[in-house]
């Protein structure tokens, strides 16, 4: 599998994770700030949450890591949580904004 194919599969895995309070996946919400595939198929994800007091702060990053680990060909996964820049609704995709009635 090429790096771009693996990246597509990782994005599919990330899109299967939803914020339990919002019926939109974390990718479309704009919670993923960076996604890198390193040699030997190590995956790095930098992400945020909708707020520092998010009740799912412990579960969403762990679920993302677990879903990525299930992707065939992935060697290792590192998920880093950041609050900089702070999350805003502007980070949502058009699809997410439509789904949530913001458009």
């Amino acid at each position: 599998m090429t790096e771009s194919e693996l990246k597509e599969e990782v994005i599919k895995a990330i899109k299967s994770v939803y914020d339990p309070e919002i019926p939109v996946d974390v990718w479309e919400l704009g919670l993923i700030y960076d996604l890198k595939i390193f040699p030997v198929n190590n995956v790095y994800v930098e992400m945020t949450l909708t707020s520092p007091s998010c009740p799912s702060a412990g579960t969403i990053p762990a679920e993302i890591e677990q879903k990525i680990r299930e992707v065939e060909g992935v060697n290792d996964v590192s998920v880093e949580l950041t609050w900089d820049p702070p999350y805003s609704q502007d980070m949502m995709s058009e699809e997410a904004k439509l789904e949530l009635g913001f458009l």
Side-chain angles (χ1 to χ4, degrees), residues 11-88:
I11 290 170
K12 282 184 198 173
I14 292 170
K15 285 183 163 198
S16 72
V17 178
Y18 285 76
D19 184 312
E21 298 174 343
I22 306 169
V24 176
D25 69 76
V26 296
W27 182 268
E28 297 298 336
L29 277 175
L31 299 181
I32 306 302
Y33 287 171
D34 195 11
L35 170 62
K36 291 182 180 149
I37 310 290
F38 292 108
V40 297
N41 296 340
N42 291 340
V43 178
Y44 169 79
V45 175
E46 182 180 43
M47 66 168 295
T48 194
L49 297 169
T50 53
S51 81
S53 60
C54 176
S56 300
T59 58
I60 291 176
E63 185 178 355
I64 288 171
E65 180 178 343
Q66 183 238 336
K67 296 285 186 180
I68 294 171
R69 286 187 186 280
E70 293 172 3
V71 173
E72 186 176 332
V74 168
N75 183 47
D76 196 18
V77 180
S78 174
V79 177
E80 183 179 336
L81 196 56
T82 185
W83 304 109
D84 187 33
Y87 179 77
S88 76

